[in-house]
Short mmCIF file of all heavy atoms in Angstrom, two decimals:
data_model
loop_
_atom_site.label_atom_id
_atom_site.label_comp_id
_atom_site.label_asym_id
_atom_site.label_seq_id
_atom_site.Cartn_x
_atom_site.Cartn_y
_atom_site.Cartn_z
N MET T 1 17.95 16.04 -4.16
CA MET T 1 19.17 15.73 -4.87
C MET T 1 20.13 14.94 -3.98
O MET T 1 20.73 13.98 -4.43
CB MET T 1 19.80 17.02 -5.34
CG MET T 1 21.02 16.81 -6.23
SD MET T 1 20.44 16.07 -7.74
CE MET T 1 21.89 16.19 -8.68
N GLN T 2 20.21 15.28 -2.73
CA GLN T 2 21.12 14.60 -1.79
C GLN T 2 20.71 13.15 -1.58
O GLN T 2 21.56 12.29 -1.51
CB GLN T 2 21.14 15.31 -0.43
CG GLN T 2 21.82 16.64 -0.52
CD GLN T 2 23.30 16.55 -0.78
OE1 GLN T 2 23.93 15.56 -0.52
NE2 GLN T 2 23.83 17.60 -1.35
N ILE T 3 19.43 12.89 -1.60
CA ILE T 3 18.91 11.52 -1.37
C ILE T 3 19.31 10.65 -2.59
O ILE T 3 19.72 9.52 -2.38
CB ILE T 3 17.40 11.51 -1.17
CG1 ILE T 3 17.04 12.25 0.13
CG2 ILE T 3 16.83 10.10 -1.18
CD1 ILE T 3 15.62 12.48 0.37
N CYS T 4 19.20 11.21 -3.75
CA CYS T 4 19.54 10.45 -4.97
C CYS T 4 21.05 10.15 -4.97
O CYS T 4 21.44 9.03 -5.32
CB CYS T 4 19.16 11.29 -6.20
SG CYS T 4 19.30 10.35 -7.71
N LEU T 5 21.87 11.11 -4.58
CA LEU T 5 23.31 10.87 -4.54
C LEU T 5 23.66 9.82 -3.48
O LEU T 5 24.56 8.99 -3.72
CB LEU T 5 24.04 12.18 -4.25
CG LEU T 5 23.96 13.25 -5.36
CD1 LEU T 5 24.64 14.55 -4.86
CD2 LEU T 5 24.60 12.73 -6.62
N ALA T 6 22.94 9.80 -2.41
CA ALA T 6 23.17 8.79 -1.38
C ALA T 6 22.79 7.39 -1.87
O ALA T 6 23.49 6.41 -1.60
CB ALA T 6 22.39 9.11 -0.12
N ARG T 7 21.73 7.33 -2.64
CA ARG T 7 21.33 6.03 -3.23
C ARG T 7 22.40 5.52 -4.23
O ARG T 7 22.74 4.31 -4.22
CB ARG T 7 20.00 6.14 -3.94
CG ARG T 7 18.83 6.27 -3.03
CD ARG T 7 17.52 6.24 -3.81
NE ARG T 7 16.43 6.45 -2.90
CZ ARG T 7 15.53 7.40 -3.00
NH1 ARG T 7 15.58 8.26 -4.00
NH2 ARG T 7 14.55 7.51 -2.12
N VAL T 8 22.91 6.41 -5.02
CA VAL T 8 23.94 6.04 -5.99
C VAL T 8 25.21 5.61 -5.23
O VAL T 8 25.82 4.58 -5.57
CB VAL T 8 24.26 7.22 -6.96
CG1 VAL T 8 25.53 6.90 -7.75
CG2 VAL T 8 23.08 7.47 -7.88
N ARG T 9 25.61 6.30 -4.20
CA ARG T 9 26.78 5.96 -3.41
C ARG T 9 26.59 4.60 -2.77
O ARG T 9 27.51 3.76 -2.76
CB ARG T 9 27.01 6.99 -2.33
CG ARG T 9 28.33 6.89 -1.61
CD ARG T 9 28.59 8.00 -0.64
NE ARG T 9 27.98 9.29 -1.04
CZ ARG T 9 27.07 9.94 -0.31
NH1 ARG T 9 26.61 9.47 0.81
NH2 ARG T 9 26.57 11.12 -0.74
N TYR T 10 25.40 4.31 -2.26
CA TYR T 10 25.11 3.00 -1.69
C TYR T 10 25.30 1.89 -2.70
O TYR T 10 25.90 0.84 -2.45
CB TYR T 10 23.70 2.98 -1.11
CG TYR T 10 23.21 1.60 -0.65
CD1 TYR T 10 23.60 1.14 0.60
CD2 TYR T 10 22.44 0.81 -1.47
CE1 TYR T 10 23.14 -0.14 1.06
CE2 TYR T 10 22.02 -0.44 -1.04
CZ TYR T 10 22.39 -0.89 0.19
OH TYR T 10 22.00 -2.15 0.61
N LEU T 11 24.74 2.07 -3.90
CA LEU T 11 24.85 1.06 -4.96
C LEU T 11 26.31 0.83 -5.39
O LEU T 11 26.72 -0.31 -5.61
CB LEU T 11 23.96 1.45 -6.17
CG LEU T 11 22.47 1.42 -5.93
CD1 LEU T 11 21.75 2.02 -7.13
CD2 LEU T 11 21.98 0.04 -5.63
N VAL T 12 27.05 1.93 -5.48
CA VAL T 12 28.46 1.83 -5.85
C VAL T 12 29.24 1.07 -4.79
O VAL T 12 30.02 0.20 -5.09
CB VAL T 12 29.06 3.23 -6.10
CG1 VAL T 12 30.55 3.18 -6.25
CG2 VAL T 12 28.43 3.85 -7.35
N ASP T 13 29.02 1.43 -3.53
CA ASP T 13 29.80 0.83 -2.42
C ASP T 13 29.42 -0.60 -2.19
O ASP T 13 30.22 -1.49 -1.95
CB ASP T 13 29.63 1.59 -1.17
CG ASP T 13 30.24 2.96 -1.20
OD1 ASP T 13 31.12 3.18 -2.07
OD2 ASP T 13 29.91 3.83 -0.38
N THR T 14 28.09 -0.91 -2.27
CA THR T 14 27.60 -2.25 -1.89
C THR T 14 27.77 -3.26 -3.03
O THR T 14 28.18 -4.39 -2.80
CB THR T 14 26.12 -2.20 -1.51
OG1 THR T 14 25.98 -1.23 -0.48
CG2 THR T 14 25.62 -3.53 -1.02
N TYR T 15 27.44 -2.85 -4.24
CA TYR T 15 27.43 -3.83 -5.34
C TYR T 15 28.57 -3.60 -6.36
O TYR T 15 28.67 -4.35 -7.36
CB TYR T 15 26.07 -3.73 -6.10
CG TYR T 15 24.93 -4.14 -5.22
CD1 TYR T 15 24.11 -3.15 -4.66
CD2 TYR T 15 24.66 -5.48 -4.92
CE1 TYR T 15 23.03 -3.48 -3.84
CE2 TYR T 15 23.61 -5.79 -4.11
CZ TYR T 15 22.80 -4.83 -3.57
OH TYR T 15 21.77 -5.16 -2.78
N GLY T 16 29.41 -2.60 -6.16
CA GLY T 16 30.54 -2.36 -7.04
C GLY T 16 30.11 -1.83 -8.42
O GLY T 16 30.75 -2.18 -9.40
N LEU T 17 29.04 -1.10 -8.46
CA LEU T 17 28.57 -0.58 -9.71
C LEU T 17 29.36 0.63 -10.15
O LEU T 17 29.98 1.31 -9.35
CB LEU T 17 27.08 -0.21 -9.57
CG LEU T 17 26.16 -1.34 -9.15
CD1 LEU T 17 24.71 -0.85 -9.17
CD2 LEU T 17 26.32 -2.58 -9.96
N SER T 18 29.30 0.94 -11.43
CA SER T 18 30.01 2.06 -11.94
C SER T 18 29.21 3.35 -11.80
O SER T 18 28.04 3.44 -12.26
CB SER T 18 30.26 1.84 -13.47
OG SER T 18 30.78 2.97 -14.08
N ARG T 19 29.76 4.33 -11.14
CA ARG T 19 29.11 5.61 -10.96
C ARG T 19 28.82 6.24 -12.31
O ARG T 19 27.79 6.89 -12.50
CB ARG T 19 30.00 6.52 -10.14
CG ARG T 19 29.31 7.73 -9.59
CD ARG T 19 30.23 8.56 -8.73
NE ARG T 19 30.74 7.83 -7.54
CZ ARG T 19 30.16 7.87 -6.34
NH1 ARG T 19 29.07 8.54 -6.20
NH2 ARG T 19 30.68 7.19 -5.33
N LYS T 20 29.71 6.05 -13.28
CA LYS T 20 29.53 6.63 -14.61
C LYS T 20 28.30 6.03 -15.32
O LYS T 20 27.57 6.75 -15.98
CB LYS T 20 30.80 6.38 -15.42
CG LYS T 20 30.83 7.04 -16.77
CD LYS T 20 32.15 6.79 -17.48
CE LYS T 20 32.19 7.42 -18.82
NZ LYS T 20 33.45 7.18 -19.49
N LYS T 21 28.10 4.73 -15.17
CA LYS T 21 26.98 4.09 -15.82
C LYS T 21 25.65 4.44 -15.11
O LYS T 21 24.62 4.51 -15.74
CB LYS T 21 27.16 2.58 -15.84
CG LYS T 21 28.28 2.17 -16.81
CD LYS T 21 28.46 0.69 -16.84
CE LYS T 21 29.60 0.35 -17.78
NZ LYS T 21 29.83 -1.13 -17.82
N LEU T 22 25.71 4.66 -13.78
CA LEU T 22 24.51 5.02 -13.06
C LEU T 22 24.11 6.46 -13.30
O LEU T 22 22.96 6.85 -13.07
CB LEU T 22 24.71 4.81 -11.55
CG LEU T 22 24.79 3.34 -11.11
CD1 LEU T 22 25.14 3.29 -9.64
CD2 LEU T 22 23.51 2.63 -11.38
N ARG T 23 25.05 7.27 -13.78
CA ARG T 23 24.78 8.68 -14.02
C ARG T 23 23.70 8.89 -15.10
O ARG T 23 22.95 9.88 -15.05
CB ARG T 23 26.07 9.39 -14.46
CG ARG T 23 26.09 10.85 -14.28
CD ARG T 23 27.41 11.47 -14.61
NE ARG T 23 28.43 11.00 -13.70
CZ ARG T 23 29.73 10.90 -14.03
NH1 ARG T 23 30.12 11.23 -15.22
NH2 ARG T 23 30.60 10.49 -13.14
N SER T 24 23.54 7.91 -16.02
CA SER T 24 22.55 8.06 -17.04
C SER T 24 21.15 7.81 -16.57
O SER T 24 20.19 8.14 -17.21
CB SER T 24 22.88 7.10 -18.21
OG SER T 24 22.74 5.75 -17.77
N LEU T 25 21.00 7.22 -15.36
CA LEU T 25 19.70 6.91 -14.79
C LEU T 25 19.15 8.17 -14.07
O LEU T 25 19.90 8.92 -13.46
CB LEU T 25 19.74 5.78 -13.79
CG LEU T 25 20.21 4.42 -14.33
CD1 LEU T 25 20.27 3.43 -13.16
CD2 LEU T 25 19.28 3.94 -15.40
N LYS T 26 17.84 8.31 -14.13
CA LYS T 26 17.16 9.37 -13.39
C LYS T 26 17.03 8.91 -11.95
O LYS T 26 17.13 7.77 -11.64
CB LYS T 26 15.82 9.69 -14.00
CG LYS T 26 15.92 10.22 -15.40
CD LYS T 26 14.55 10.56 -15.96
CE LYS T 26 14.67 10.88 -17.39
NZ LYS T 26 14.41 12.19 -17.76
N CYS T 27 16.73 9.84 -11.08
CA CYS T 27 16.63 9.54 -9.66
C CYS T 27 15.53 8.50 -9.37
O CYS T 27 15.73 7.59 -8.56
CB CYS T 27 16.32 10.84 -8.87
SG CYS T 27 16.54 10.64 -7.12
N LYS T 28 14.44 8.57 -10.07
CA LYS T 28 13.34 7.64 -9.90
C LYS T 28 13.78 6.23 -10.30
O LYS T 28 13.44 5.23 -9.66
CB LYS T 28 12.14 8.07 -10.70
CG LYS T 28 10.91 7.26 -10.47
CD LYS T 28 9.71 7.86 -11.21
CE LYS T 28 8.46 7.08 -10.92
NZ LYS T 28 7.29 7.67 -11.60
N GLU T 29 14.57 6.13 -11.36
CA GLU T 29 15.08 4.84 -11.83
C GLU T 29 16.09 4.24 -10.86
O GLU T 29 16.10 3.03 -10.63
CB GLU T 29 15.72 5.00 -13.23
CG GLU T 29 14.74 5.37 -14.27
CD GLU T 29 15.37 5.76 -15.60
OE1 GLU T 29 16.50 6.33 -15.56
OE2 GLU T 29 14.81 5.48 -16.65
N VAL T 30 16.90 5.10 -10.23
CA VAL T 30 17.84 4.63 -9.21
C VAL T 30 17.07 4.08 -8.02
O VAL T 30 17.43 3.02 -7.46
CB VAL T 30 18.82 5.76 -8.81
CG1 VAL T 30 19.65 5.33 -7.61
CG2 VAL T 30 19.69 6.15 -9.97
N LYS T 31 16.01 4.76 -7.63
CA LYS T 31 15.20 4.32 -6.52
C LYS T 31 14.57 3.00 -6.85
O LYS T 31 14.54 2.06 -6.01
CB LYS T 31 14.08 5.34 -6.25
CG LYS T 31 13.21 5.00 -5.11
CD LYS T 31 12.16 6.09 -4.89
CE LYS T 31 11.24 5.75 -3.76
NZ LYS T 31 10.23 6.79 -3.58
N GLN T 32 14.06 2.78 -8.06
CA GLN T 32 13.46 1.52 -8.47
C GLN T 32 14.51 0.38 -8.48
O GLN T 32 14.20 -0.76 -8.09
CB GLN T 32 12.78 1.63 -9.82
CG GLN T 32 11.58 2.49 -9.80
CD GLN T 32 11.02 2.76 -11.18
OE1 GLN T 32 11.70 2.56 -12.19
NE2 GLN T 32 9.77 3.26 -11.28
N LEU T 33 15.70 0.69 -8.98
CA LEU T 33 16.78 -0.29 -8.99
C LEU T 33 17.13 -0.76 -7.59
O LEU T 33 17.25 -1.96 -7.36
CB LEU T 33 18.03 0.30 -9.66
CG LEU T 33 19.25 -0.58 -9.73
CD1 LEU T 33 18.98 -1.82 -10.59
CD2 LEU T 33 20.43 0.18 -10.34
N ARG T 34 17.26 0.17 -6.66
CA ARG T 34 17.57 -0.21 -5.31
C ARG T 34 16.43 -1.03 -4.68
O ARG T 34 16.69 -2.00 -3.97
CB ARG T 34 17.86 1.01 -4.44
CG ARG T 34 18.18 0.61 -3.05
CD ARG T 34 18.86 1.61 -2.27
NE ARG T 34 19.06 1.07 -0.91
CZ ARG T 34 19.39 1.76 0.13
NH1 ARG T 34 19.57 3.05 -0.01
NH2 ARG T 34 19.54 1.23 1.30
N ALA T 35 15.21 -0.65 -4.95
CA ALA T 35 14.05 -1.39 -4.43
C ALA T 35 14.05 -2.82 -4.95
O ALA T 35 13.82 -3.80 -4.25
CB ALA T 35 12.76 -0.68 -4.77
N LYS T 36 14.34 -2.98 -6.22
CA LYS T 36 14.38 -4.32 -6.84
C LYS T 36 15.53 -5.15 -6.22
O LYS T 36 15.35 -6.33 -5.93
CB LYS T 36 14.57 -4.25 -8.37
CG LYS T 36 13.37 -3.78 -9.11
CD LYS T 36 13.66 -3.69 -10.58
CE LYS T 36 12.50 -3.04 -11.35
NZ LYS T 36 12.82 -2.90 -12.74
N LEU T 37 16.68 -4.51 -6.04
CA LEU T 37 17.80 -5.21 -5.40
C LEU T 37 17.49 -5.61 -3.99
O LEU T 37 17.85 -6.76 -3.57
CB LEU T 37 19.07 -4.34 -5.47
CG LEU T 37 19.71 -4.21 -6.82
CD1 LEU T 37 20.77 -3.14 -6.84
CD2 LEU T 37 20.32 -5.53 -7.26
N ASP T 38 16.85 -4.73 -3.21
CA ASP T 38 16.50 -5.04 -1.85
C ASP T 38 15.49 -6.23 -1.83
O ASP T 38 15.59 -7.11 -0.99
CB ASP T 38 15.90 -3.85 -1.15
CG ASP T 38 16.93 -2.80 -0.82
OD1 ASP T 38 18.16 -3.12 -0.84
OD2 ASP T 38 16.52 -1.63 -0.58
N GLN T 39 14.57 -6.24 -2.76
CA GLN T 39 13.58 -7.34 -2.81
C GLN T 39 14.25 -8.65 -3.16
O GLN T 39 14.00 -9.66 -2.54
CB GLN T 39 12.48 -7.01 -3.87
CG GLN T 39 11.45 -8.07 -4.01
CD GLN T 39 10.63 -8.26 -2.72
OE1 GLN T 39 10.33 -7.36 -2.04
NE2 GLN T 39 10.31 -9.53 -2.42
N LEU T 40 15.17 -8.61 -4.11
CA LEU T 40 15.87 -9.82 -4.49
C LEU T 40 16.76 -10.34 -3.37
O LEU T 40 16.90 -11.54 -3.16
CB LEU T 40 16.69 -9.61 -5.75
CG LEU T 40 15.91 -9.44 -7.06
CD1 LEU T 40 16.82 -8.95 -8.18
CD2 LEU T 40 15.16 -10.71 -7.43
N GLN T 41 17.38 -9.41 -2.63
CA GLN T 41 18.21 -9.78 -1.51
C GLN T 41 17.36 -10.45 -0.39
O GLN T 41 17.79 -11.44 0.21
CB GLN T 41 18.94 -8.56 -0.89
CG GLN T 41 20.05 -8.08 -1.74
CD GLN T 41 21.27 -8.93 -1.63
OE1 GLN T 41 21.26 -10.13 -1.71
NE2 GLN T 41 22.41 -8.27 -1.40
N SER T 42 16.19 -9.92 -0.13
CA SER T 42 15.31 -10.51 0.89
C SER T 42 14.82 -11.87 0.47
O SER T 42 14.54 -12.74 1.32
CB SER T 42 14.18 -9.56 1.23
OG SER T 42 13.29 -9.46 0.17
N ASP T 43 14.66 -12.08 -0.85
CA ASP T 43 14.24 -13.38 -1.37
C ASP T 43 15.40 -14.34 -1.53
O ASP T 43 15.20 -15.48 -1.93
CB ASP T 43 13.54 -13.21 -2.72
CG ASP T 43 12.23 -12.47 -2.62
OD1 ASP T 43 11.69 -12.37 -1.50
OD2 ASP T 43 11.78 -11.97 -3.65
N GLU T 44 16.61 -13.85 -1.26
CA GLU T 44 17.88 -14.65 -1.41
C GLU T 44 18.03 -15.14 -2.83
O GLU T 44 18.46 -16.28 -3.02
CB GLU T 44 17.93 -15.74 -0.40
CG GLU T 44 17.95 -15.22 1.05
CD GLU T 44 17.96 -16.36 2.07
OE1 GLU T 44 18.15 -17.52 1.68
OE2 GLU T 44 17.87 -16.02 3.23
N ASP T 45 17.75 -14.33 -3.80
CA ASP T 45 17.85 -14.67 -5.22
C ASP T 45 19.15 -14.09 -5.76
O ASP T 45 19.19 -13.01 -6.32
CB ASP T 45 16.66 -14.15 -5.99
CG ASP T 45 16.67 -14.56 -7.43
OD1 ASP T 45 17.55 -15.30 -7.84
OD2 ASP T 45 15.78 -14.07 -8.22
N THR T 46 20.27 -14.83 -5.57
CA THR T 46 21.55 -14.30 -5.98
C THR T 46 21.68 -14.19 -7.49
O THR T 46 22.35 -13.28 -8.01
CB THR T 46 22.69 -15.21 -5.46
OG1 THR T 46 22.50 -16.52 -5.90
CG2 THR T 46 22.72 -15.18 -3.94
N ASN T 47 21.07 -15.12 -8.24
CA ASN T 47 21.11 -15.02 -9.70
C ASN T 47 20.39 -13.79 -10.20
O ASN T 47 20.81 -13.12 -11.14
CB ASN T 47 20.54 -16.29 -10.34
CG ASN T 47 21.41 -17.50 -10.17
OD1 ASN T 47 22.62 -17.35 -10.09
ND2 ASN T 47 20.80 -18.65 -10.08
N GLY T 48 19.24 -13.46 -9.60
CA GLY T 48 18.49 -12.28 -9.97
C GLY T 48 19.28 -11.04 -9.68
O GLY T 48 19.26 -10.08 -10.51
N VAL T 49 19.96 -10.96 -8.55
CA VAL T 49 20.79 -9.80 -8.21
C VAL T 49 21.90 -9.66 -9.25
O VAL T 49 22.14 -8.54 -9.73
CB VAL T 49 21.36 -9.93 -6.78
CG1 VAL T 49 22.37 -8.84 -6.52
CG2 VAL T 49 20.25 -9.88 -5.75
N GLU T 50 22.57 -10.73 -9.52
CA GLU T 50 23.66 -10.70 -10.48
C GLU T 50 23.24 -10.21 -11.88
O GLU T 50 23.86 -9.40 -12.52
CB GLU T 50 24.34 -12.06 -10.60
CG GLU T 50 25.52 -12.10 -11.54
CD GLU T 50 26.67 -11.17 -11.12
OE1 GLU T 50 26.86 -10.98 -9.90
OE2 GLU T 50 27.36 -10.66 -11.99
N ASN T 51 22.07 -10.73 -12.32
CA ASN T 51 21.53 -10.32 -13.63
C ASN T 51 21.13 -8.87 -13.64
O ASN T 51 21.26 -8.22 -14.69
CB ASN T 51 20.34 -11.23 -14.03
CG ASN T 51 20.76 -12.64 -14.32
OD1 ASN T 51 21.92 -12.89 -14.73
ND2 ASN T 51 19.88 -13.59 -14.17
N LEU T 52 20.66 -8.36 -12.53
CA LEU T 52 20.18 -7.00 -12.46
C LEU T 52 21.39 -6.02 -12.43
O LEU T 52 21.29 -4.97 -13.05
CB LEU T 52 19.33 -6.80 -11.23
CG LEU T 52 18.55 -5.47 -11.11
CD1 LEU T 52 17.64 -5.31 -12.33
CD2 LEU T 52 17.74 -5.46 -9.86
N VAL T 53 22.47 -6.34 -11.73
CA VAL T 53 23.58 -5.41 -11.62
C VAL T 53 24.60 -5.55 -12.75
O VAL T 53 25.43 -4.64 -12.89
CB VAL T 53 24.28 -5.53 -10.25
CG1 VAL T 53 23.31 -5.20 -9.12
CG2 VAL T 53 24.96 -6.83 -10.06
N ARG T 54 24.59 -6.62 -13.49
CA ARG T 54 25.60 -6.84 -14.52
C ARG T 54 25.76 -5.69 -15.51
O ARG T 54 26.91 -5.30 -15.80
CB ARG T 54 25.32 -8.11 -15.28
CG ARG T 54 26.41 -8.51 -16.27
CD ARG T 54 26.21 -9.86 -16.93
NE ARG T 54 26.36 -10.89 -15.88
CZ ARG T 54 25.56 -11.95 -15.76
NH1 ARG T 54 24.54 -12.07 -16.54
NH2 ARG T 54 25.75 -12.80 -14.81
N PRO T 55 24.65 -5.08 -16.03
CA PRO T 55 24.88 -3.98 -16.95
C PRO T 55 25.50 -2.71 -16.35
O PRO T 55 26.00 -1.84 -17.06
CB PRO T 55 23.45 -3.66 -17.42
CG PRO T 55 22.62 -4.78 -17.01
CD PRO T 55 23.28 -5.46 -15.91
N TYR T 56 25.46 -2.60 -15.02
CA TYR T 56 25.97 -1.41 -14.35
C TYR T 56 27.30 -1.62 -13.68
O TYR T 56 27.82 -0.69 -13.06
CB TYR T 56 24.94 -0.92 -13.32
CG TYR T 56 23.58 -0.66 -13.86
CD1 TYR T 56 22.54 -1.57 -13.62
CD2 TYR T 56 23.37 0.43 -14.67
CE1 TYR T 56 21.30 -1.34 -14.14
CE2 TYR T 56 22.11 0.66 -15.26
CZ TYR T 56 21.07 -0.23 -14.95
OH TYR T 56 19.85 -0.01 -15.51
N ARG T 57 27.91 -2.80 -13.84
CA ARG T 57 29.22 -3.05 -13.24
C ARG T 57 30.29 -2.25 -13.95
O ARG T 57 30.23 -1.97 -15.11
CB ARG T 57 29.56 -4.53 -13.29
CG ARG T 57 28.80 -5.37 -12.30
CD ARG T 57 29.64 -5.56 -11.06
NE ARG T 57 28.86 -6.03 -9.94
CZ ARG T 57 28.67 -7.29 -9.61
NH1 ARG T 57 29.17 -8.23 -10.37
NH2 ARG T 57 27.95 -7.60 -8.55
N ALA T 58 31.35 -1.93 -13.19
CA ALA T 58 32.47 -1.19 -13.71
C ALA T 58 33.31 -2.00 -14.65
O ALA T 58 33.36 -3.15 -14.71
CB ALA T 58 33.35 -0.69 -12.55
#
């Protein structure tokens, strides 16, 4: 449980996502979201990152 909360905190702090909107995701989904974001960041795909985080923004 602590690992999942840490992942959510990272996404909120780094990408400005809404904690309330992330609450509906399961821990596995949060892990997949972070993995996708990390992959897009390493590929330097800013449009992909923006499209992925848009639904979860505050």
Side-chain angles (χ1 to χ4, degrees):
M1 187 66 170
Q2 291 293 335
I3 295 171
C4 189
L5 293 174
R7 287 186 183 122
V8 169
R9 190 175 329 117
Y10 172 82
L11 293 173
V12 169
D13 292 342
T14 306
Y15 297 103
L17 304 184
S18 170
R19 194 177 299 268
K20 186 177 180 181
K21 291 181 181 179
L22 290 174
R23 202 175 294 151
S24 65
L25 298 178
K26 296 182 189 248
C27 192
K28 188 174 183 179
E29 294 169 328
V30 172
K31 182 179 178 181
Q32 291 172 345
L33 177 63
R34 180 161 179 196
K36 288 178 187 177
L37 285 169
D38 288 343
Q39 180 62 38
L40 290 170
Q41 287 283 48
S42 68
D43 294 342
E44 297 180 7
D45 184 6
T46 56
N47 289 329
V49 171
E50 182 62 32
N51 289 335
L52 190 59
V53 299
R54 187 173 291 136
Y56 303 107
R57 284 265 164 92

